[in-house]
Amino acid sequence: MFDEIFARITPDRLLRDPRATGEGVAVAVIDSGVERAVLEDKFRAAGTPIHPIDGALFRADSAAPLPYTGHQSSPHGTTVADVILTVAPRVKLYSADVFGPAGTCEVETVIHALRHAIEVWKVKVINLSLGVPEHKLQQLPRRQALLRAIEEAYFRDVLVFAAAHNEHPLTRSYPAVFTTPLVSVDKGVFDDPLGFAYRLRDHVEFQAHGKGYLGPFAREPATSWATPHLSGIAARILSLKPDLKPFEMKTLLYWLTRGRTG
């Protein structure tokens, strides 16, 4: 019965629907900030103007986030945001800069940004093209606090996409290994940027296209670029069916890969 139902749901039919633009879907990029003018100029020149990008700067020593000035702390976050907008150009994008001028990030800062994205920005998708190495979570309370924040997103119907370590499965990083309440993503190379595959290995389930389009390191295959590809694909789907729950989206992504080759 399920095969018959899902045979009607094909990648071409769903992902290439002209309405699947990401319109009406708010996405948070928790990363190193986004250079707003660069992206506005790029997509305006391409004839696909984007919604205004908003955001905030988060610091471990600050209870309230600082205002977003439209700038990045480093190019990484802009490349991530560009991938999402390339796949789903009509999303409403929020930049959560968790690195700042110091160029470092603590677990507590990521947790703060996660909760702000859920409670204040009311996003439907959160992209985490970053990872916390296992040694930084040796203290059980820190690990549990990060897991609780991811679980809060799940129970608020917010999809979290997290990048596996680039050396996966030799090296594990968090929160990608919290597989159940989020979507974990490894890198692959696909002919189509909308291509992806289900390849379960060591707590990571999906592979997506691992190359970007903007920035000095975009052409180097990386999980940082694969993750926003899948985030953008989910945003495309949500623009057609905005009430999908995280477990429904994960199931749908799995079924869309059946019979596909990477």
Side-chain angles (χ1 to χ4, degrees), residues 196-200 204-207 250 253-254 257-258:
F196 61 98
Y198 178 84
R199 295 193 179 123
L200 178 64
V204 175
E205 297 172 296
F206 290 92
Q207 280 188 339
K250 191 182 286 195
L253 291 173
Y254 165 73
T257 67
R258 285 169 64 91

Side-chain angles (χ1 to χ4, degrees), residues 32-43:
S32 65
V34 172
E35 197 68 20
R36 181 166 52 199
V38 170
L39 296 180
E40 288 176 341
D41 291 347
K42 176 185 174 181
F43 286 94

